[in-house]
Amino acid sequence: MIEILGLGIALAFAGYLIFPRAPRPFARDDLLYYRRLSEEMRRNEIHPFE
């Protein structure tokens, strides 16, 4: 009986580690950082035919 309980706990823990967790939502600071980064990338783009 204890072996079955231990196996169940081990399987539950393994499942927790194997399956990916839900992504955390972006914080406001993260969004501002990515927006600023994308604006810099657009500004720094090289357009060879202009």
Side-chain angles (χ1 to χ4, degrees), residues 24-32:
R24 69 175 181 86
F26 282 112
R28 190 169 191 276
D29 296 336
D30 293 343
L31 289 176
L32 291 174

Side-chain angles (χ1 to χ4, degrees), residues 1-8:
M1 184 68 180
I2 293 176
E3 294 87 4
I4 295 173
L5 183 63
L7 183 62

Side-chain angles (χ1 to χ4, degrees), residues 16-50:
Y16 173 76
L17 291 177
I18 289 173
F19 290 111
R21 291 155 192 77
R24 69 175 181 86
F26 282 112
R28 190 169 191 276
D29 296 336
D30 293 343
L31 289 176
L32 291 174
Y33 170 74
Y34 286 123
R35 184 178 303 139
R36 192 174 338 114
L37 188 63
S38 68
E39 288 173 0
E40 283 183 27
M41 292 295 290
R42 263 186 272 124
R43 254 185 280 141
N44 292 335
E45 273 185 15
I46 297 172
H47 298 285
F49 300 111
E50 287 184 357

